[in-house]
Amino acid sequence: MSRNTDLLLTALAPAIWGSTYLVTTEFLPAGYPLTVAMLRALPAGLLLLVLVRKLPQGIWWARVLLLGALNFSVFWWLLFISAYRLPGGVAATVGAIQPLIVILLSRALLGTTIRPLSIVAAIAGMGGVALLILTPNAALDPIGIAAGLGGAVSMAAGTVLSRRWQPPVSPLTFTAWQLTAGGLLLLPVALLQEPALPSLTMANVLGLAWLGLIGAALTYIVWFRGIARLEPSVVSPLGFLSPMTAVILGWSVLGQSLSAAQILGMAVVLASVWLSQRAQRQAVPAAGPALPAGSISRS
């Protein structure tokens, strides 16, 4: 499969994640963020686990627990704190620092060269996200800012370590392990911190099914596959497509307004994604052909 096909397939994941806000606000009961996060991860993970019928072995138990925490439990927990304490635009803009963190962590953990064009692309992407959803009267909350930065660090670390620790299994099995681990870690916290869910309507069930089966299981299979085939610094900027999709859905489905600044933000986001891919392509002749996923250190 060609590199362009890998990129397009991987980009489907953040594009689908952009539907999370619409589904959450229109189909799910309000006020149960941890419970919803747990129900998004655990049932999907268990379903995939039944399909693959394979459990981690040896050191992979510890690695899967850590990756499940970084990519799901801690990331979603801090994401919800940030979302509740900050306006959506501020929370998303703070979280958009993730590609920069990925570049630095890739240098430290994978020995990847820091490319100036990648830095420019990451900063441009943050600017594009700010234009998309940041309002002039947005308030800043220190705890919310800290949670947003912590969530970005958690997801960035999970992305880079998922590349460093390439498992001896398929992306489907790898996703099943991580979703199950992340859901199990969220389960006691959700039970202790939140009341029981009310009786679910058909709309609630459909919303949870979308977030779990499509927004978690399917998308993370694609995402982890992309991380295995491409550099984390190439995959991470694709996350800028998520807020762009959210804005487009808000305009097309909910009838929200679309300003000139938001249209400019979309153009900047797309340009930043293109720049990030160009930076990698320019580096390939100098560095030689990319190593196959299985040749990455498993230490």
Side-chain angles (χ1 to χ4, degrees), residues 92-240:
T93 304
V94 171
I97 198 174
Q98 180 189 323
L100 278 176
I101 301 172
V102 165
I103 291 172
L104 298 176
L105 288 178
S106 294
R107 174 60 181 172
L109 298 178
L110 303 178
T112 305
T113 302
I114 296 179
R115 306 179 187 98
L117 193 56
S118 295
I119 299 291
V120 172
I123 295 174
M126 290 181 63
V129 171
L131 286 171
L132 274 170
I133 49 185
L134 194 60
T135 59
N137 59 348
L140 301 180
D141 175 83
I143 296 178
I145 293 291
L149 291 174
V153 171
S154 179
M155 184 64 173
T159 297
V160 175
L161 287 176
S162 293
R163 171 68 174 183
R164 178 178 174 84
W165 294 335
Q166 284 296 298
V169 294
S170 68
L172 175 64
T173 302
F174 198 32
T175 303
W177 291 353
Q178 290 195 54
L179 278 173
T180 303
L184 287 174
L185 292 171
L186 282 167
L187 180 60
V189 181
L191 290 176
L192 291 174
Q193 295 294 322
E194 293 180 351
L197 280 173
S199 298
L200 297 179
T201 65
M202 180 57 67
N204 297 154
V205 173
L206 290 175
L208 288 171
W210 173 266
L211 290 181
L213 298 178
I214 306 300
L218 176 62
T219 55
Y220 277 97
I221 291 171
V222 171
W223 186 251
F224 291 136
R225 176 189 177 278
I227 292 173
R229 291 171 174 260
L230 305 164
E231 282 194 15
S233 59
V234 172
V235 173
S236 186
L238 298 176
F240 292 138

Side-chain angles (χ1 to χ4, degrees), residues 117-118 120-122 124 269-280:
L117 193 56
S118 295
V120 172
V269 163
L270 292 174
S272 72
V273 172
W274 178 80
L275 277 176
S276 67
Q277 310 312 317
R278 184 175 177 81
Q280 172 62 13

